[in-house]
Amino acid sequence: MVAVAPIAPGESIQRGRSRERQLRDRLGIPGAAEHVLIFAETSHWDPNWLHTSDEYFDLRVKHTLDAALGVLEAEPARVFSVECIFFLRMYWERVPERREELRERINAGRIRLSGTGITTPDTTLPVEEAIVRDYLSGRQWLRSHGMTADPSVAYLPDNFGNSPALPAILRAMGVRYAAMSRIDGMHFPGDDFRGAGFYPRPGSSARTLDDLGTLDFTWRGPDGSEVLCHWNAFTYFQGDMLAWRGIIRWMNRVFGWRDRSAGHVAGKIAGYARRLLRVSRTPYLFCPIGCDFNDPIPDLSGLLDRYNDESFPRTGVYAVNASLEDYLDLVAEHRHRLPILELDPNPYWMGFYASRPQLKQRCRKLTNTLLSTEKLLAASPGAVVEAQSLVRDGWDRLIVSNHHDFITGTAPGRVYLLEQDGWLREAEQMAASALQMATAAWPDHAREAPEGPPQYELKDGRLEVRTRWYRVVIDEAVGGCVTEWTVPGASRNLVRTPSNDLVVHRDTGGLWRMGHEYRGGSFDAIDRVSRHRATLTVEPHAGMIEVTIEALLDKHPTVRTLWFASDSPVVRMRMLGVAGRRRTVTCRFHPAVRPDGLAMDVPGGVVARDFGKGHAPTFWAASSFVHVVDREDSRGMAAFLGGPGCVTADSSGAIEWVVLRNAPREMAWRLIPVPAHPAWGANDEQHGIDYAVWFTETGDWRANSLPMAAEEALAPMGCATKHVRQAARQLLITPPEVLLRAIKPAEDGRGRIVRLLAYGHEPIAMQLVDPALSRVILCDALERDLSEVVVQERSFTLTPVGAIVSFRLLP
């Protein structure tokens, strides 16, 4: 959706201009400057992409930070930006002799932080709470070491798309500004063999912004949250070659030659301004400098001063070195000129949604284990100190996995094995030990006697399962697929074609993209398990039966397991197998619905999406569920994906999600590697995914409480989940339509922080249960207090302003 904000009253504009003058005076921008080109300089540092973090630090980061401190000393007006805390923290630990200088430069605003994240996190795959902890942890590290910087911006220059609900996450953290580079439909050098004229692609986010003639806009999330956002349409290193001729500077190597002459620099600035003026609605133009691991440009201040002295009077374009936040502060004074967009900047790439799926599942499981342990410890009479310490250390390691080359699975196999896998193993061991300690404090009360197992009959390779919720038929002759699914009150079969089918695709793609996303690649279905015979076995358990289906697909064995429970309409499933090289395998259901689109949760909220956008098929990243609903009778099917999911659907109702993927490297015409994507890695080991299916009777995702149903459907089997619920209810009682995401110790030691996912703006009535708690303070997700909440007779009400609500519980 696009809306243009109305012009503010003249008096408001005049007040804004007064503030704008103050901002310009601080940056040394003359009043005569019709246009201002802001060069924001950084150095993009990936904690572990082509190299491990130790290798990157020794190869480049230490030298770059040494050089940055040097130019800041030599050029009093210069600033240098740092995108995230990871390597800043490493420099602090390994170069102690420069700590005071570093702290002084940060506190003086000479080193500008464009976010407090430990990483620049991917925002399509992690749970939103992991993203919040990323920024919270970085901010807490700064505070604990005497650094007071508190930026109000989140710079995500290299993310491969972003959650359309990112505004909700940022607003919850008190962040006003965002900036990104990679959005769907844009051209990025070296990642395709199509010419630049092919872009921006029709129907894409890039085309929308290009047609509107702006790189700045108010980004509105599905919950109504808004942030002022900038798009780097010409890469996040547009200005890196200011003082060079050639192709690119990367890793501080120049693919070209140096030219600091006045004519060259003026020509470069003119070129940048020309491109940016076409897509600017304000007097301000943003030119980022910051390719991977580059050093600062020598004497940048001198180059810009010379340009301003010699060329500004003629061009009217004034050039200044400042920060991204400075730029957005200036643009904010002209916000009335900018469009308001409900932007979904996806899919930029789709293959990374499912590259190394077992890595993503480990991150998800680890996040949930840490959140569960925190809830148990919060309600324990004598919380185990050792367990709390393990949880803190577990979060510290997990947070790094948010990085846009970690959870995405886009690091080479060598880096994954040398560093990423080890970090996750350490965190998993810590989380498992902490959970065991926390659970030990809770007595394992006898469970209610379960219902008897479902009725079933296996005859001639045909299994029929009956419960009060459904009747399901599975047939060995069609690969062990579901051929019938009926529910009480509906006579029709709810599946059109054999479902829980496995479809294998020949995929020439790699870690970032599927084969059909670029010229010269391909993604083609070549076989499906329903064409082959399978073997079924059934094993009864208390209250459920376990069905195992073994079949060959693409010459590899596959195992699907289904659990039919007497007490739930949801059928839990698991698929395990091995994918051959250059193969992607999907699980396919074909419910008897005619949907208009699909709904799914994403980090920060729930969105409705079309079936296709830019690619056929279009795969989307779903956090934990996807829902299709018939446009006439509102019956539907929800799939719960223990991934996150990589899902596609079409107007016939067919829905598929990736269960196996082994696409090592993007190749065009099966011969030519794509130059911008050098990392590769095979996934030859057995892997798979947990998922679940529920045929909903009527209503949308909200009517069926799918976020809460997903948490239940994907929870580990056993009693830990029961203990977590009991623990939470000993502190406070929340409405069933609200997801209680976190209960954690406050970073400053003042009470506990509670975080809810509200998914709406209706008042939330809650009740304190723990008699030791009596005060409630509304805060943001970075734990800055906002306002006291009235508590009467241990009850209080919050009215959400967005999907994510945080508050502090105090004695």
Side-chain angles (χ1 to χ4, degrees):
M1 185 188 93
V2 180
V4 178
I7 298 293
E11 184 182 355
S12 299
I13 294 177
Q14 201 60 43
R15 282 201 302 268
R17 285 176 179 162
S18 175
R19 182 173 183 273
E20 183 178 4
R21 280 197 297 270
Q22 293 174 7
L23 292 168
R24 288 170 71 111
D25 289 346
R26 179 171 62 81
L27 296 174
I29 301 169
E34 182 181 354
H35 297 286
V36 180
L37 180 59
I38 292 177
F39 287 95
E41 186 180 37
T42 183
S43 180
H44 181 64
W45 298 332
D46 296 313
N48 38 31
W49 177 38
L50 298 179
H51 299 280
T52 67
S53 58
D54 285 332
E55 291 167 346
Y56 270 136
F57 184 83
D58 293 338
L59 280 169
R60 293 294 322 130
V61 173
K62 181 182 181 302
H63 186 277
T64 300
L65 269 174
D66 286 344
L69 290 171
V71 298
L72 294 176
E73 176 70 23
E75 303 172 51
R78 188 164 179 177
V79 298
F80 184 82
S81 297
V82 173
E83 295 172 1
C84 61
I85 306 299
F86 182 88
F87 280 119
L88 196 68
R89 182 173 65 179
M90 189 177 286
Y91 189 85
W92 178 274
E93 293 167 352
R94 298 186 183 186
V95 192
E97 65 272 17
R98 304 202 77 164
R99 286 179 182 174
E100 192 55 44
E101 183 182 7
L102 189 66
R103 176 165 44 218
E104 181 183 335
R105 295 303 186 201
I106 290 174
N107 287 344
R110 302 289 307 286
I111 291 179
R112 298 293 295 273
L113 300 177
S114 50
T116 64
I118 295 294
T119 72
T120 50
D122 173 79
T123 66
T124 59
L125 301 175
V127 176
E128 88 293 321
E129 183 66 20
I131 299 170
V132 166
R133 299 297 178 99
D134 202 330
Y135 284 86
L136 177 63
S137 180
R139 185 176 186 273
Q140 181 63 18
W141 182 85
L142 291 167
R143 291 294 178 274
S144 66
H145 291 87
M147 286 168 270
T148 57
D150 209 4
S152 190
V153 62
Y155 188 37
L156 302 167
D158 201 26
N159 286 23
F160 320 137
N162 279 291
S163 169
L166 182 58
I169 301 174
L170 298 181
R171 178 175 180 172
M173 295 193 298
V175 174
R176 294 180 295 147
Y177 304 142
M180 55 190 170
S181 302
R182 300 178 184 270
I183 67 175
D184 64 291
M186 74 172 291
H187 175 250
F188 207 91
D191 69 1
D192 206 338
F193 293 99
R194 299 182 176 101
F198 181 77
Y199 300 94
R201 300 186 67 165
S204 67
S205 300
R207 174 60 67 85
T208 296
L209 288 168
D210 190 71
D211 289 345
L212 288 169
T214 185
L215 304 183
D216 302 305
F217 58 97
T218 295
W219 187 5
R220 178 180 289 167
D223 67 339
S225 297
E226 294 182 352
V227 292
L228 179 60
C229 188
H230 175 79
W231 169 41
N232 292 327
F234 310 110
T235 76
Y236 58 87
F237 45 89
Q238 182 182 5
D240 272 65
M241 296 296 284
L242 177 69
W244 288 267
R245 294 182 185 270
I247 303 172
I248 194 174
R249 282 196 307 140
W250 180 76
M251 292 288 289
N252 214 45
R253 297 189 212 121
V254 181
F255 295 83
W257 63 96
R258 182 167 169 162
D259 186 347
R260 298 173 60 84
S261 67
H264 171 74
V265 172
K268 279 288 189 180
I269 290 176
Y272 301 147
R274 186 165 52 250
R275 298 188 81 180
L276 293 167
L277 280 167
R278 189 183 65 81
V279 280
S280 176
R281 292 190 176 193
T282 79
Y284 304 103
L285 315 173
F286 183 73
C287 187
I289 299 172
C291 198
D292 301 10
F293 298 95
N294 281 341
D295 282 0
I297 295 175
D299 192 26
L300 176 62
S301 299
L303 295 177
L304 299 184
D305 287 345
R306 183 181 64 187
Y307 164 82
N308 288 327
D309 289 342
E310 298 178 2
S311 300
F312 162 60
R314 174 175 48 85
T315 66
V317 176
Y318 190 84
V320 65
N321 166 227
S323 72
L324 170 64
E325 190 166 6
D326 292 328
Y327 169 77
L328 288 169
D329 276 340
L330 288 164
V331 170
E333 300 306 309
H334 298 264
R335 198 162 179 168
H336 57 281
R337 300 182 180 184
L338 304 178
I340 300 170
L341 302 178
E342 293 180 5
L343 194 76
D344 188 350
N346 305 286
Y348 179 69
W349 294 329
M350 302 186 297
F352 80 93
Y353 297 158
S355 293
R356 293 200 181 98
Q358 60 270 55
L359 181 155
K360 296 168 173 57
Q361 292 156 24
R362 290 170 68 188
C363 293
R364 179 62 57 87
K365 181 179 178 181
L366 179 54
T367 303
N368 291 337
T369 300
L370 291 169
L371 289 171
S372 295
T373 305
E374 284 180 335
K375 292 173 186 175
L376 290 168
L377 292 173
S380 297
V384 183
V385 174
E386 184 181 356
Q388 292 174 329
S389 177
L390 287 170
V391 169
R392 283 194 298 271
D393 291 344
W395 275 115
D396 191 55
R397 285 159 177 78
L398 170 68
I399 283 166
V400 184
S401 75
N402 291 335
H403 178 249
H404 61 269
D405 280 310
F406 191 149
I407 194 170
T408 54
T410 51
R414 168 186 167 275
V415 173
Y416 168 66
L417 293 173
L418 277 178
E419 189 163 78
Q420 295 177 346
D421 178 65
W423 286 354
L424 282 180
R425 287 185 189 280
E426 286 181 4
E428 287 164 343
Q429 291 167 2
M430 292 172 181
S433 297
L435 180 61
Q436 186 176 15
M437 293 177 192
T439 305
W442 291 87
D444 190 8
H445 299 297
R447 298 178 62 187
E448 296 180 5
E451 298 182 32
Q455 298 177 357
Y456 72 93
E457 181 181 13
L458 178 59
K459 184 176 181 181
D460 299 328
R462 184 177 181 274
L463 173 67
E464 182 175 335
V465 181
R466 290 180 178 271
T467 72
R468 59 191 168 105
W469 309 100
Y470 49 70
R471 170 183 165 274
V472 175
V473 175
I474 300 173
D475 196 336
E476 285 184 338
V478 287
C481 294
V482 173
T483 57
E484 296 179 50
W485 194 309
T486 58
V487 298
S491 58
R492 64 187 173 108
N493 185 2
L494 297 181
V495 294
R496 294 189 199 281
T497 62
S499 294
N500 204 28
D501 200 357
L502 301 177
V503 185
V504 61
H505 304 261
R506 183 184 292 112
D507 185 355
T508 65
L511 302 180
W512 285 273
R513 294 184 293 183
M514 294 177 168
H516 63 301
E517 296 185 62
Y518 56 93
R519 187 181 180 195
S522 60
F523 182 83
D524 303 303
I526 57 175
D527 198 9
R528 59 185 63 208
V529 78
S530 56
R531 296 174 182 168
H532 310 281
R533 191 168 189 89
T535 302
L536 296 178
T537 57
V538 182
E539 184 177 353
H541 297 279
M544 71 170 63
I545 62 170
E546 180 179 309
V547 179
T548 302
I549 307 164
E550 299 179 81
L552 283 176
L553 180 64
D554 196 33
K555 301 180 182 179
H556 292 284
T558 65
V559 179
R560 282 162 291 164
T561 307
L562 293 79
W563 291 272
F564 295 94
S566 301
D567 60 355
S568 173
V570 178
V571 179
R572 296 179 64 145
M573 308 181 189
R574 177 179 296 149
M575 188 274 165
L576 291 173
V578 175
R581 293 280 178 98
R582 305 210 169 277
R583 296 291 188 268
T584 292
V585 179
T586 59
C587 178
R588 186 176 194 271
F589 269 78
H590 196 173
V593 298
R594 297 289 184 188
D596 290 322
L598 57 167
M600 64 186 69
D601 64 334
V602 295
V606 178
V607 294
R609 281 170 160 163
D610 294 331
F611 300 115
K613 187 182 182 186
H615 305 285
T618 296
F619 283 85
W620 297 104
S623 193
S624 62
F625 76 82
V626 61
H627 192 215
V628 289
V629 176
D630 190 87
R631 65 177 72 103
E632 294 181 0
D633 66 8
S634 292
R635 286 189 175 274
M637 191 195 92
F640 305 107
L641 308 169
C646 176
V647 62
T648 186
D650 63 34
S651 58
S652 75
I655 181 171
E656 299 182 45
W657 52 90
V658 174
V659 291
L660 304 174
R661 191 160 193 264
N662 189 359
R665 185 169 186 179
E666 293 169 21
M667 302 292 288
W669 300 285
R670 304 190 185 183
L671 294 171
I672 306 172
V674 178
H677 300 157
W680 75 281
N683 195 13
D684 296 327
E685 63 267 30
Q686 185 185 64
H687 57 286
I689 189 173
D690 286 292
Y691 55 102
V693 168
W694 176 23
F695 280 85
T696 55
E697 291 190 15
T698 57
D700 61 6
W701 66 270
R702 195 183 298 273
N704 287 282
S705 300
L706 291 187
M708 283 56 74
E711 186 178 56
E712 179 75 22
L714 298 171
M717 295 184 184
C719 61
T721 304
K722 175 190 68 177
H723 291 326
V724 172
R725 291 197 203 94
Q726 291 173 347
R729 284 196 290 266
Q730 290 198 13
L731 289 174
L732 76 164
I733 297 173
T734 59
E737 68 272 13
V738 172
L739 192 61
L740 177 59
R741 179 61 90 192
I743 305 175
K744 65 175 291 291
E747 296 296 317
D748 62 6
R750 294 189 302 120
R752 300 184 181 96
I753 301 297
V754 178
R755 192 134 39 245
L756 309 175
L757 294 187
Y759 300 107
H761 297 271
E762 296 299 319
I764 305 171
M766 283 169 283
Q767 184 175 1
L768 296 173
V769 177
D770 187 343
L773 300 172
S774 60
R775 291 183 64 202
V776 177
I777 298 177
L778 192 68
C779 62
D780 66 23
L782 298 187
E783 303 186 9
R784 293 172 291 209
D785 290 348
L786 301 175
S787 60
E788 185 106 11
V789 178
V790 176
V791 179
Q792 292 182 331
E793 296 181 353
R794 312 200 61 74
S795 296
F796 63 99
T797 300
L798 297 176
T799 301
V801 295
I804 302 172
V805 182
S806 302
F807 56 93
R808 187 188 302 268
L809 296 179
L810 288 166

